[in-house]
Every structure is written in C-alpha cells, then in structure tokens.
Amino acid sequence: MASEEISESDNINDNFPTFFPPLNSQRYYFVKTIMEKYGFNKLCDLGCNKGKLLSYLSRDTELTLLEGVDNDEEILEEANKICQPLLFDLIVKRKKGLIINLYKGSIIQVDKRLYNHEFVSCIEVIEHLNMDILNCFEDALFSIWNPKIIVISTPNKEFNQLWNMQDNEFRHSDHKFEWTRSEFNNWCNSICQRYSYYVKIDGVGIAKNRLDVGFCTQIAVFERISNKKFNDCNEIYELKYQIKFPIAVNDKLN
C-alpha cells in the first residue's frame, strides 16, 4: 500500500532536499532499531506493499518470523519475489530459521494467526485511508489486537513546501490526507487516551538548512501501558506465500 510519487531521494533541483541514505532505507532502519531496543525477533507489517521492509529486515540473522499483510494480490506477488533468499543466504546459511509469511487481507481486521505478534509496523499507510476506514483501523489495531509496540509513519505536510508544493497538494495521488506535526501529535495523543498507550514521536529525513519544518517522515512509536487484552479472532486472511530461509546443519548431527 505504501508508495510515493514525489521523489524523496532523486536530486530534482539543487535547491530541493535530498536524502542519503534514501528515505525509505532510513524508515526501515528506524524500525530495525526499535525492534532491537525492545528485543523482538518477530514482526508483522501492515500494508506491506512490495515487502521491501520485510526484505530489509531479513538480513538480520536474529529474526525468526516476518509477516506482511496487504489487500492487493498483484502487489503480494511482487513481495514474494523481493523477499526470496539471496544467493548469499543459500551459501552462508542461518543458524536460526526465518519464515516470511505474506497474507492477503484487510488491515482493519485482525487474524487469529497474527494475534500473538507484539511488534507491529505500519509504514506510510495511514495516509491512504479514508477517515472512516482509519477509525476502523485504529479500533482493530489498538483495541482488539493491542500489541505491545506499534510503529506508524506518515508524511509531514510541513516538509512539502521544500518541494514547492501547494498547501492542497499531496505527495501521492492516492493520499487522502497529509498531516502537519501538530495534527499528527493530536491524533497520537487521542490514540493514547482511548486505548491505554503512550507514544514517542520521532522521524527521519532532515533538510539541514530548514530544521524548522521538521522531519520529512514523522514516526510514532506506541507502547502499551496495561497488560494485553485477549480477544477472540478468526482466521480471516489468506496466506498467499510462505518463504523459508535455509538453515545451517550441524555436521556433528549428521
């Protein structure tokens, strides 16, 4: 689901901001650092699109399970190709097994098989949702699922001026909204008040000569305050692809 038409890495104009590493890599690295901080070796990515975050994380040999959800079957087919083991993985095999599961389904529903995930990411997705769908997404994720850690990213509208965009322009034609820092902060605080979470707001992508506009991508890291609520869920997603990475075999066991 996540995609952007405005180039965030190409040097369109010397006066426009550019990013190194590319902005998407900065987002993925941010997710990785939060996983490491809390000691998670499993993740579920909602609105996984072509699986680039999952593929990026698969380089970490400590991770054992990565799962992605998207409602676009053709996109999931692309994700299956991108997430396949590399030649390096076939030669230098992992000591711990890694499975990547790709599900077709709606992110406003919760599948029983994913319910035990305590780390969930949703990168550049919420801005593609109409407000009524966003409300359903909030309830499904924060109330029914209520994982321990949730990482959500979205564009910072204030940054758009550095691309000479008008106030009513969005970075992608499918975006339903783009929030200022204040609007994102208000949404995050509303989530915390309603669902017993607290949040730290951060971001990636800085224009060194315009720190006043903030990060290009604003990111919220939600952490559940209370114990997990257990709710009944059904298996409603369709498992489209399962990718298993090869594991090293101890010769002494042969």
Side-chain angles (χ1 to χ4, degrees), residues 44-213:
C44 181
D45 187 36
L46 298 179
C48 67
N49 199 256
K50 295 181 180 180
K52 292 182 179 179
L53 171 61
L54 303 178
S55 177
Y56 178 93
L57 294 174
S58 71
R59 301 300 98 216
D60 187 336
T61 57
E62 293 299 313
L63 303 185
T64 59
L65 179 63
L66 299 172
E67 304 198 274
V69 179
D70 206 284
N71 61 359
D72 189 317
E73 194 160 335
E74 292 184 1
I75 288 292
L76 287 173
E77 184 177 354
E78 288 295 313
N80 178 52
K81 297 175 183 176
I82 290 174
C83 290
Q84 291 295 323
L86 303 176
L87 178 60
F88 177 84
D89 298 305
L90 303 177
I91 298 173
V92 183
K93 298 178 181 178
R94 305 166 64 98
K95 293 182 179 179
K96 297 180 180 180
L98 171 64
I99 295 176
I100 300 178
N101 290 325
L102 300 173
Y103 292 91
K104 181 183 178 184
S106 170
I107 63 173
I108 67 172
Q109 297 176 302
V110 181
D111 187 283
K112 180 179 180 180
R113 290 164 292 184
L114 305 181
Y115 188 69
N116 287 327
H117 275 285
E118 285 283 68
F119 191 106
V120 174
S121 60
C122 188
I123 306 303
E124 304 298 285
V125 172
I126 62 171
E127 62 273 9
H128 293 266
L129 308 179
N130 290 315
M131 284 300 165
D132 56 338
I133 301 299
L134 180 61
N135 292 335
C136 295
F137 168 74
E138 295 168 9
D139 195 55
L141 180 57
F142 289 94
S143 179
I144 299 174
W145 193 339
N146 66 105
K148 177 67 175 176
I149 302 295
I150 302 170
V151 179
I152 295 179
S153 81
T154 195
N156 169 20
K157 181 179 180 180
E158 294 167 79
F159 200 95
N160 293 351
Q161 62 185 277
L162 303 188
W163 285 302
N164 292 339
M165 294 171 62
Q166 300 299 313
D167 189 59
N168 61 350
E169 285 186 282
F170 293 153
R171 298 184 196 178
H172 191 282
S173 59
D174 186 58
H175 286 185
K176 306 304 186 293
F177 61 86
E178 289 179 6
W179 282 333
T180 65
R181 285 172 288 176
S182 177
E183 290 170 327
F184 186 52
N185 185 73
N186 290 340
W187 180 76
C188 292
N189 287 334
S190 172
I191 292 291
C192 293
Q193 292 170 7
R194 285 180 286 142
Y195 299 110
S196 191
Y197 277 79
Y198 74 80
V199 67
K200 178 180 179 182
I201 298 178
D202 206 328
V204 296
I206 282 290
K208 294 181 180 179
N209 61 336
R210 288 297 307 273
L211 300 180
D212 58 301
V213 299

